[in-house]
Amino acid sequence: MSDTSLSFIDPVFLARFGLSRINALDYFLHPLNPFRSKTQQSSNEILSMQGISLDTLQQSQIQQQHLQGRPYDIVSALRRAEEEYNQQLEKLVGEQYELLPPPEIAEGETPAAGELFVIRHVLRSSKISKKVLGIYYIIQGVIYKSPSVRSVVKANIARTLQALAETCEALSTCAVYEPTMGYTWDFELAKKQKEGDDNAIVEDNDRMLSSKRPTKKRMRKVLDNRPPGEATEEEEEGLRAIEAIDKILVRLSKSEVTTAILKDTTA
């Protein structure tokens, strides 16, 4: 089972403390959270043992506002607390969890509870060098892992191939072949067949029988072999559509991405 199919929620924590930007990292570092690293102690836990957290840093910023006689501004205090917390993380190396900045909030507006929180898992080797190990989302108290770019592209290609296959299957019922006329498009007949019209089914059977019936002399050449200008615009358009679909299907069948997706599907 992939990590993207897992999720984590702690109703006890949410009922007792709620969820906001102040405690989002503490909630993610829950001992039972399957997404947190169990191999080594993170830099966030080291700062927590030193009494450094977003909560304590925000309280410090609020006290400074009071001492300096500035108006009470919880949004500004939280923003400065996050900046100071990130500066403390930059002094350490190892695995770290960063709380990414929220969407822009109007001045004086309090962040809404239960909003989306994005946490980035990184491996820091120096103050300016770090490697991203994963991205996680907290939505309404539920923690999810963000899928990789490869899995997103793979899913989009699979949906595209399925849509193309369904389109080709739908168009195949509209193409009618007659030895004397070649390939033509009959959308009305396909529509009637889809609706279960008995007359349309009989008409289609008659066409199939007539196509199998031998003829001594063909009244005209097959559409594909007729010189340019002899076919009507509708017939030429039908030929171009058939050729375009065939080219798309051939290119898709030879694509390495399609081959890999088909192997994963059969496996």
Side-chain angles (χ1 to χ4, degrees):
M1 181 181 295
S2 62
D3 291 344
T4 54
S5 61
L6 298 176
S7 63
F8 173 78
I9 184 173
D10 182 10
V12 177
F13 184 99
L14 297 175
R16 184 176 181 183
F17 303 105
L19 187 62
S20 64
R21 294 191 64 83
I22 294 296
N23 60 358
L25 283 174
D26 296 331
Y27 182 63
F28 185 86
L29 294 174
H30 193 287
L32 299 180
N33 181 13
F35 299 115
R36 57 165 293 182
S37 176
K38 305 295 194 302
T39 57
Q40 61 179 341
Q41 193 176 39
S42 65
S43 300
N44 305 79
E45 294 171 306
I46 295 176
L47 292 179
S48 180
M49 290 188 297
Q50 297 175 0
I52 301 176
S53 65
L54 285 176
D55 188 18
T56 57
L57 293 175
Q58 185 188 38
Q59 294 299 327
S60 176
Q61 291 294 331
I62 293 176
Q63 290 179 2
Q64 290 183 13
Q65 291 178 359
H66 178 71
L67 294 175
Q68 295 175 2
R70 291 184 295 166
Y72 177 75
D73 188 353
I74 188 174
V75 175
S76 175
L78 177 59
R79 186 183 302 111
R80 294 182 180 180
E82 291 181 358
E83 293 175 356
E84 187 174 350
Y85 187 81
N86 292 332
Q87 292 174 0
Q88 294 294 332
L89 286 177
E90 292 176 354
K91 299 177 182 179
L92 304 175
V93 295
E95 294 189 17
Q96 302 177 356
Y97 296 95
E98 302 175 340
L99 182 63
L100 298 186
E104 294 185 1
I105 302 174
E107 191 68 25
E109 181 181 351
T110 304
E115 61 182 341
L116 169 66
F117 304 101
V118 183
I119 294 178
R120 181 169 58 193
H121 182 198
V122 300
L123 178 61
R124 184 180 295 276
S125 56
S126 65
K127 184 175 181 179
I128 59 175
S129 177
K130 60 183 178 181
K131 178 183 178 182
V132 178
L133 302 179
I135 302 292
Y136 303 91
Y137 299 104
I138 305 179
I139 306 176
Q140 297 296 329
V142 184
I143 303 176
Y144 304 93
K145 182 177 181 179
S146 173
S148 63
V149 176
R150 179 180 180 275
S151 61
V152 173
V153 173
K154 179 179 176 181
N156 289 336
I157 292 178
R159 285 195 294 268
T160 302
L161 290 176
Q162 182 180 1
L164 283 174
E166 294 175 354
T167 302
C168 294
E169 183 179 357
L171 288 175
S172 64
T173 60
C174 303
V176 179
Y177 174 77
E178 295 181 5
T180 57
M181 298 292 294
Y183 283 99
T184 57
W185 294 99
D186 193 341
F187 297 101
E188 293 296 329
L189 177 61
K191 183 178 180 181
K192 293 178 181 179
Q193 289 178 347
K194 186 176 181 181
E195 295 174 353
D197 192 341
D198 295 337
N199 295 329
I201 298 176
V202 171
E203 181 181 351
D204 186 41
N205 292 335
D206 292 341
R207 289 192 180 188
M208 293 178 62
L209 291 174
S210 63
S211 64
K212 296 179 181 179
R213 201 175 292 134
T215 56
K216 294 182 179 180
K217 183 179 179 181
R218 300 175 67 177
M219 297 178 60
R220 59 188 303 184
K221 297 179 181 179
V222 180
L223 180 62
D224 304 78
N225 298 328
R226 281 183 290 177
E230 185 177 344
T232 63
E233 294 183 1
E234 291 78 5
E235 292 171 339
E236 292 291 345
E237 183 181 357
L239 276 179
R240 289 194 294 270
I242 293 175
E243 292 176 356
I245 292 175
D246 290 341
K247 290 180 181 179
I248 292 174
L249 293 178
V250 170
R251 287 160 55 188
L252 288 174
S253 64
K254 295 181 179 180
S255 173
E256 297 179 358
V257 177
T258 306
T259 305
I261 292 175
L262 292 176
K263 288 182 179 179
D264 293 344
T265 305
T266 55

